[in-house]
Amino acid sequence: MPSQNTQSPIPSGTFVPPPSGIGSEVSDTSLSDAIVTLRKRLWLLILAAALGAGYGAYKAYTQPKLYDATGVIQVHNGQSNEYKLDMNSYDGDSDTKINTEVAILKSDALLTTVAREMDLANNPDFSGANGPAPRRSLDDPGVHASVIATLQGNLQAAVVPHTEMLRISYSSLNAKLSADIVNKVIFDYIQRSYQTPVESTKRVSQWLSGQLEELKSDVENSQAQMMELQRKLGVMGYDSTHNQLQASLEDLLAAEGTAKVARITAESRYRMVAGMDPSTLQGSIETTPGTMPGELSSLRAQLASATASYAQMTAAGGIGPNHPRAKALQAQINELTQQINTEQSRMSLQAKENYLAAKATEEKIEQELDAKKTEAYSQGDDLVQYTLTKAEFEQNRALYDGLEQRLRTAEVQAGLEALEVDVVDQALPPVSPTLQSKGTIILTTTLFFLVGGIVIAFILDSLDTGVREIHEVEAVMAMPSLAIIPQARNLSAEQLAAMSTTQRNLQVLAQPKSQYTESLRSLRTSLLLATAGHPPRFILFTSAMPAEGKSTTASNLACILAQGGSRVLLIDGDMRRPNLHHRFGLTSKLGLSTVLAGSSTLEEAIQHVPDTPNLDVMPSGPVPPFPAEMLSSETMKGLFERLGQMYSHVVIDTPPILSVTDGVILGRMADAVVLVIRHGKSNRKTLARVRNLLLRSGVPMAGLALNAVNMNSPDYYEYYGSYGYSYGNSDASSWETQSQSSHKHHARSKGRS
């Protein structure tokens, strides 16, 4: 019996969804889920592979014929070291130096020189221009950037392992051009290796020359003053050993000369360090005169050892850069590099501080000397004046000679500091172009596109809000699934012609041994066991949206229940768009609306189905103006009481509950409500709205029926492929229900009588 009060409690045994939010059970990502996702997007993977193969074939057969020319040079310090005046100089880390030379070979300055001397901006083989083109200037920033980018992209410079040799190669469409560019790069690199140290020393020499000019002027002035005093006093008439003031002045003059030499030397060292390459800093100067720098050399030696060990670890066959040992060694390399930079900065700062200290010492001595001179001058001692002038002259002369000697030494040693570069192999025009294997190109692009297709497949799957799998539907709705109903198999025109209207529209009659029919029997069993103590009498079918198959499911389930021997009534509760009467070939002049309106009796509105003796149908009747009011009336409740006494099961088809409220109104009068969801149509938002509506209305939900499932869908392949069961190839027409057999036997007996 249905409940009489719309606010009455839900019958016992009915499944009630929990009042909490959407179920929190989330399936873990696994390999099987990934395989299912890829099977769903198999068309995308096939398309990606086809596009990759096509693009790879296009690249393979249209790849340019590039000619690679290669030259080899050896870079070393050479025999000039033995001619250096300072044999304690340090040459720095060999790996760092050779890598620096590789970077110089691809530097903008060197390649600009090559491009300018070869006029590559106007070379059609280099630019790939067809036909005459206007002349371009390398001074144009756009042209310069384009030419240098092309050179750097096609020029390769690498160290030959475990040697001091560099391999230089260039690729272009012209064999001779490739060889010419490599040879020109080698030539200009050799020129640069000699010119760079000379230019650096030249800048220092220019500053020293300016200092020498000032010293030369001081020497000449001192000499003139001394000669004037000699003529005035004569140099034979005094003894400097008995003059205390003279002795003090001589000491101060000597100290002034030493301080000035120290200041000039410190300033020269500071200016040289400021304009020098940090990698050659320690090999060119001494941090403290007469001592050998050790901290920087030790750090560079440690860095070289760590770099070599890291290269072995990350080389092919090694432990790789992500291994903890490799990461620890990389951190050590970074720390050593920072310490080296700190040490180089300290040396530069030390040179500056030495210069400032020497300058301050010189100024202090000069102040003291000036004070002594003032004292001597105030005494009017011409002899002291002569002594001062002579000492100043000798001091300036010695300083001048010392700086001049250093200048000449620097000019000679500048050439000895240059690297020696020997050409091992000159670049020759290659005989044949270098082509990549067509199979390799096709395979690489195919794999690349396939990986991209896999990524896109997973992205599309994550963006897809539709629900297709049972566990997804159950998780969103927080209620169990009663049955999975597959798509019905279409019959041929000859089979349909031999059937009645009811058989054509009811698959359980047209195909009684099909998997579709078996799924309806499974739904019947689930519904009969859905409530504890007694099977549900009033079974209501609804859906979230139209065209989800609720009317078809309700009609076929009613037929299945009737075939079991129970008296079943199928009610078309959709009084807005009724269609059940068309499925059975019945008229809808009388029906539910006329019974509720009182214009017809219940017996007049109920129609019998000849193909299924135990099944009766109550059509919707004429469409009323206010269906919801009629369905919620007391007359409808009384009608349900009468039908409950007449039939074992009453199956009710209602409109979609998101469209109208009719399904919710009738659902509160039913014993079990089944929500039909069409496979692949509903999304998470729609199902969430339906669930919230059902929870608020308090209808006795029995569960879900997932309808129109594709048998070949990857989502349900495992379910049907592994657990599906059928009657084999036996003739469907050979089977009939017990009720049908009894009905035919009764008809034959009646005919004989």
Side-chain angles (χ1 to χ4, degrees):
M1 291 294 295
S3 57
Q4 301 301 316
N5 192 343
T6 58
Q7 303 298 328
S8 61
I10 299 172
S12 62
T14 304
F15 173 80
V16 181
S20 58
I22 297 175
S24 60
E25 183 179 345
V26 181
S27 60
D28 295 333
T29 302
S30 62
L31 181 60
S32 59
D33 295 333
I35 294 175
V36 170
T37 300
L38 296 179
R39 289 190 60 189
K40 287 193 296 185
R41 311 289 179 180
L42 184 60
W43 61 271
L44 179 62
L45 302 183
I46 295 175
L47 177 62
L51 291 176
Y55 180 67
Y58 170 77
K59 287 188 63 179
Y61 288 96
T62 59
Q63 61 176 315
K65 296 181 179 180
L66 296 176
Y67 293 88
D68 291 340
T70 303
V72 180
I73 60 175
Q74 181 182 8
V75 181
H76 56 93
N77 290 330
Q79 301 299 323
S80 60
N81 282 332
E82 63 185 65
Y83 300 107
K84 290 184 180 180
L85 300 179
D86 182 11
M87 298 304 297
N88 292 326
S89 62
Y90 175 73
D91 294 327
D93 178 54
S94 58
D95 291 338
T96 302
K97 180 171 292 187
I98 199 71
N99 290 328
T100 302
E101 302 308 316
V102 171
I104 291 174
L105 282 168
K106 299 191 68 174
S107 63
D108 290 355
L110 182 63
L111 296 183
T112 299
T113 304
V114 173
R116 193 177 301 278
E117 293 178 355
M118 296 186 66
D119 195 19
L120 294 179
N122 299 291
N123 190 325
D125 294 331
F126 177 81
S127 61
N130 297 323
R135 183 168 183 80
R136 303 190 302 171
S137 173
L138 200 61
D139 296 330
D140 185 353
V143 175
H144 180 271
S146 175
V147 172
I148 298 304
T150 303
L151 278 173
Q152 291 177 338
N154 297 328
L155 182 68
Q156 301 296 328
V159 181
V160 179
H162 310 297
T163 67
E164 294 181 336
M165 293 187 293
L166 299 177
R167 180 180 289 108
I168 306 168
S169 60
Y170 189 84
S171 300
S172 72
L173 298 174
N174 186 286
K176 186 176 182 304
L177 178 63
S178 298
D180 291 344
I181 290 178
V182 171
N183 292 328
K184 191 62 179 176
V185 168
I186 293 175
F187 176 79
D188 288 342
Y189 170 71
I190 294 174
Q191 294 298 317
R192 181 194 177 280
S193 66
Y194 287 106
Q195 292 175 358
T196 301
V198 173
E199 292 176 355
S200 177
T201 306
K202 184 179 179 180
R203 290 192 296 270
V204 178
S205 299
Q206 289 176 351
W207 180 83
L208 285 175
S209 299
Q211 297 294 315
L212 286 175
E213 291 297 329
E214 295 180 4
L215 286 175
K216 184 179 180 180
S217 177
D218 293 341
V219 169
E220 292 175 350
N221 294 335
S222 299
Q223 186 177 14
Q225 293 176 8
M226 186 184 65
M227 293 177 65
E228 179 66 24
L229 290 173
Q230 282 180 344
R231 287 193 297 267
K232 183 177 180 181
L233 299 175
V235 295
M236 301 296 293
Y238 73 94
D239 183 6
S240 60
T241 59
H242 299 289
N243 193 316
Q244 184 178 2
L245 181 59
Q246 181 179 355
S248 299
L249 289 174
E250 289 177 352
D251 292 339
L252 288 174
L253 285 172
E256 182 190 28
T258 303
K260 183 172 293 187
V261 171
R263 189 266 301 170
I264 294 176
T265 302
E267 185 176 1
S268 174
R269 184 182 297 110
Y270 166 64
R271 292 182 179 274
M272 181 178 293
V273 168
M276 185 175 293
D277 185 4
S279 63
T280 61
L281 177 62
Q282 191 171 357
S284 301
I285 67 167
E286 298 175 15
T287 56
T288 303
T291 62
M292 174 69 178
E295 180 64 18
L296 187 57
S297 60
S298 176
L299 291 175
R300 286 180 171 169
Q302 294 178 28
L303 178 61
S305 176
T307 304
S309 300
Y310 183 80
Q312 292 177 358
M313 289 182 182
T314 57
I319 60 177
N322 294 324
H323 193 274
R325 289 177 55 194
K327 291 184 177 180
L329 193 56
Q330 180 62 48
Q332 181 183 359
I333 292 174
N334 295 336
E335 180 64 21
L336 288 173
T337 303
Q338 184 177 3
Q339 292 180 7
I340 288 174
N341 294 335
T342 303
E343 185 64 17
Q344 291 174 351
S345 301
R346 186 195 65 78
M347 292 179 66
S348 299
L349 181 61
Q350 182 185 22
K352 181 178 179 180
E353 291 176 349
N354 290 340
Y355 160 65
L356 295 177
K359 184 178 180 181
T361 301
E362 180 187 13
E363 292 175 351
K364 182 66 176 177
I365 293 175
E366 287 179 350
Q367 292 175 1
E368 187 67 21
L369 182 59
D370 290 340
K372 289 293 182 181
K373 286 182 179 181
T374 303
E375 181 181 355
Y377 293 153
S378 63
Q379 295 177 357
D381 192 348
D382 292 338
L383 185 60
V384 174
Q385 180 66 27
Y386 169 77
T387 303
L388 292 174
T389 304
K390 181 180 179 181
E392 184 178 0
F393 165 74
E394 292 176 352
Q395 171 190 320
N396 291 339
R397 182 61 182 265
L399 181 59
Y400 177 81
D401 293 339
L403 290 180
E404 188 177 23
Q405 180 64 30
R406 283 181 173 270
L407 178 59
R408 296 183 183 276
T409 301
E411 292 175 351
V412 173
Q413 194 163 346
L416 301 178
E417 292 287 347
L419 293 174
E420 286 192 12
V421 181
D422 297 331
V423 180
V424 180
D425 291 325
Q426 284 225 347
L428 299 176
V431 178
S432 58
T434 302
L435 296 177
Q436 191 176 358
S437 172
K438 295 182 176 63
T440 302
I441 296 177
I442 295 175
L443 180 61
T444 302
T445 53
T446 302
L447 291 177
F448 179 78
F449 273 72
L450 187 60
V451 171
I454 292 174
V455 173
I456 295 175
F458 281 107
I459 292 176
L460 292 178
D461 189 70
S462 64
L463 295 177
D464 187 6
T465 59
V467 286
R468 296 175 177 83
E469 300 185 21
I470 299 176
H471 69 86
E472 292 180 346
V473 178
E474 292 179 342
V476 175
M477 296 298 296
M479 58 184 65
S481 59
L482 301 175
I484 302 175
I485 305 173
Q487 292 178 341
R489 182 173 59 87
N490 294 327
L491 300 176
S492 62
E494 293 78 6
Q495 291 175 319
L496 293 175
M499 296 180 181
S500 63
T501 302
T502 303
Q503 291 175 332
R504 286 195 297 268
N505 290 291
L506 295 182
Q507 294 292 331
V508 297
L509 296 178
Q511 304 177 53
K513 299 180 182 179
S514 65
Q515 209 162 35
Y516 179 86
T517 304
E518 288 301 318
S519 66
L520 265 297
R521 293 191 179 101
S522 175
L523 177 61
R524 175 197 61 188
T525 303
S526 299
L527 282 173
L528 294 180
L529 299 176
T531 55
H534 62 85
R537 187 177 299 273
F538 292 89
I539 304 172
L540 183 140
F541 283 85
T542 187
S543 64
M545 303 294 292
E548 297 207 49
K550 56 178 179 52
S551 299
T552 302
T553 305
S555 302
N556 284 276
L557 179 68
C559 184
I560 289 291
L561 291 172
Q563 288 176 349
S566 302
R567 288 202 63 193
V568 180
L569 174 65
L570 176 62
I571 299 178
D572 189 353
D574 189 353
M575 292 194 294
R576 303 172 188 268
R577 297 176 60 182
N579 66 354
L580 282 184
H581 60 281
H582 296 299
R583 298 174 183 266
F584 295 91
L586 305 176
T587 178
S588 187
K589 293 182 180 180
L590 299 177
L592 179 61
S593 61
T594 58
V595 173
L596 296 177
S599 58
S600 66
T601 64
L602 177 61
E603 291 74 12
E604 292 174 342
I606 295 177
Q607 303 182 44
H608 303 285
V609 179
D611 298 271
T612 307
N614 291 330
L615 178 63
D616 295 336
V617 177
M618 179 186 290
S620 173
V623 177
F626 305 107
E629 286 73 8
M630 297 184 69
L631 294 176
S632 60
S633 64
E634 293 295 329
T635 305
M636 186 66 187
K637 298 177 183 177
L639 176 62
F640 266 43
E641 291 182 2
R642 292 184 58 189
L643 294 176
Q645 298 173 357
M646 297 170 58
Y647 293 94
S648 301
H649 301 287
V650 178
V651 180
I652 310 166
D653 178 34
T654 61
I657 59 176
L658 290 183
S659 302
V660 292
T661 60
D662 299 2
V664 176
I665 295 173
L666 293 176
R668 297 182 62 84
M669 304 180 189
D671 296 326
V673 176
V674 179
L675 180 66
V676 179
I677 300 175
R678 189 175 185 88
H679 175 241
K681 181 177 181 181
S682 299
N683 55 45
R684 297 179 186 273
K685 292 183 178 180
T686 302
L687 295 182
R689 290 177 55 197
V690 171
R691 178 185 177 281
N692 294 334
L693 178 60
L694 294 175
L695 285 176
R696 290 195 302 268
S697 61
V699 298
M701 287 298 303
L704 310 169
L706 194 58
N707 185 36
V709 175
N710 184 5
M711 298 285 290
N712 298 321
S713 173
D715 298 328
Y716 301 95
Y717 174 79
E718 181 179 357
Y719 179 84
Y720 284 113
S722 302
Y723 305 106
Y725 189 81
S726 63
Y727 285 93
N729 296 324
S730 59
D731 186 11
S733 62
S734 64
W735 178 87
E736 60 185 9
T737 64
Q738 181 180 1
S739 61
Q740 289 174 320
S741 300
S742 300
H743 177 72
K744 291 181 180 179
H745 177 73
H746 176 73
R748 286 195 298 268
S749 299
K750 184 178 180 180
R752 285 195 301 269
S753 63

